[in-house]
Amino acid sequence: NAGVMQNPRHLVRRRGQEARLRCSPMKGHSHVYWYRQLPEEGLKFMVYLQKENIIDESGMPKERFSAEFPKEGPSILRIQQVVRGDSAAYFCASSPSGSGSYEQYFGPGTRLTVT
Amino acid sequence: KQEVTQIPAALSVPEGENLVLNCSFTDSAIYNLQWFRQDPGKGLTSLLLIQSSQREQTSGRLNASLDKSSGRSTLYIAASQPGDSATYLCAVQTGANNLFFGTGTRLTVIP
């Protein structure tokens, strides 16, 4: 059973470009979470999605950031018009359930560098 | 709002020593608490998960305890090894479905 997959592992973008980060959850998991880890800071929740639904986006910046989890295919975190402050590690996690107590399984992360 | 604090921020110990990492959280209404390990430039490896109804969990040389009422957890590592060197993160799950993370303790085990 493959774990949570993220790609690319490293992404370099120039200021103003778009960044697309992909996350494939573990088999059988229909709940996906995105977290961001800024340099020298802890991980911060961004968004929680189920298939075709955004459940909680309270941690997402109001502008330039969007996320989706389509019926088929991976979850996508999209950052438009990237700025240097977007440079961070972005982690995806998945779980089999979204209610009660459950373990979240993390992917290896995508390290975004904005030049 | 839930806040998670980890003390100390960094710790160096000689190989073979037993050690304790601390985690505290402000809101005791949690579902569970997880301890993770993160190696430099890598992802998170889950070490232990303690349900809110449990007091401790053990895996090999690791033992984690939870005192929900006082908002504290400890991770005990026995007979430390250089391979244990990493950053250790604790995180609590609340009813909001997301995890709140501490900023971690960076552990260095000196051979």
Side-chain angles (χ1 to χ4, degrees):
Chain A
N1 186 8
V4 178
M5 312 281 281
Q6 289 188 251
N7 66 80
R9 296 289 304 277
H10 299 274
L11 182 62
V12 179
R13 284 287 178 266
R14 281 200 281 268
R15 277 178 298 170
Q17 291 185 318
E18 178 180 288
R20 279 183 179 242
L21 288 62
R22 295 174 190 77
C23 169
S24 296
M26 285 181 71
K27 188 176 180 180
H29 288 192
S30 58
H31 300 256
V32 165
Y33 314 80
W34 286 93
Y35 294 84
R36 178 167 66 173
Q37 187 176 36
L38 292 165
E40 305 303 321
E41 292 189 21
L43 278 85
K44 296 283 196 301
F45 167 78
M46 299 181 75
V47 62
Y48 162 41
L49 309 102
Q50 293 180 34
K51 287 279 187 182
E52 300 184 279
N53 283 305
I54 297 174
I55 307 302
D56 181 356
E57 55 183 347
S58 58
M60 287 274 271
K62 293 288 184 273
E63 297 176 350
R64 302 187 296 107
F65 285 72
S66 62
E68 62 177 8
F69 189 15
K71 187 176 179 181
E72 302 290 338
S75 174
I76 307 283
L77 179 67
R78 181 181 177 207
I79 311 172
Q80 294 178 291
Q81 299 176 315
V82 296
V83 300
R84 289 232 171 97
D86 297 333
S87 295
Y90 292 82
F91 291 95
C92 165
S94 73
S95 69
S97 170
S99 61
S101 176
Y102 48 86
E103 186 168 358
Q104 293 185 17
Y105 297 82
F106 281 77
T110 293
R111 277 150 185 84
L112 171 66
T113 302
V114 179
T115 62
Chain B
K1 186 190 170 190
Q2 180 74 265
E3 290 186 10
V4 182
T5 304
Q6 290 188 247
I7 295 173
L11 180 65
S12 288
V13 299
E15 182 177 1
E17 195 162 293
N18 302 326
L19 60 101
V20 174
L21 307 181
N22 297 292
C23 173
S24 61
F25 47 96
T26 53
D27 185 348
S28 62
I30 65 170
Y31 280 116
N32 61 51
L33 182 144
Q34 282 185 256
W35 282 94
F36 295 89
R37 169 189 172 134
Q38 185 176 29
D39 292 282
K42 305 288 186 183
L44 279 70
T45 301
S46 181
L47 298 174
L48 290 164
L49 181 148
I50 312 177
Q51 302 290 353
S52 62
S53 59
Q54 296 175 320
R55 295 300 298 265
E56 67 178 335
Q57 280 287 334
T58 298
S59 175
R61 293 183 293 109
L62 306 180
N63 176 278
S65 68
L66 173 64
D67 184 342
K68 201 174 81 156
S69 60
S70 67
R72 294 175 190 274
S73 176
T74 61
L75 179 66
Y76 175 82
I77 302 177
S80 58
Q81 302 170 358
D84 294 331
S85 298
T87 295
Y88 290 80
L89 302 168
C90 77
V92 296
Q93 183 204 338
T94 68
N97 295 309
N98 52 297
L99 296 177
F100 288 87
F101 282 85
T103 50
T105 294
R106 188 176 302 167
L107 173 66
T108 303
V109 180
I110 304 163

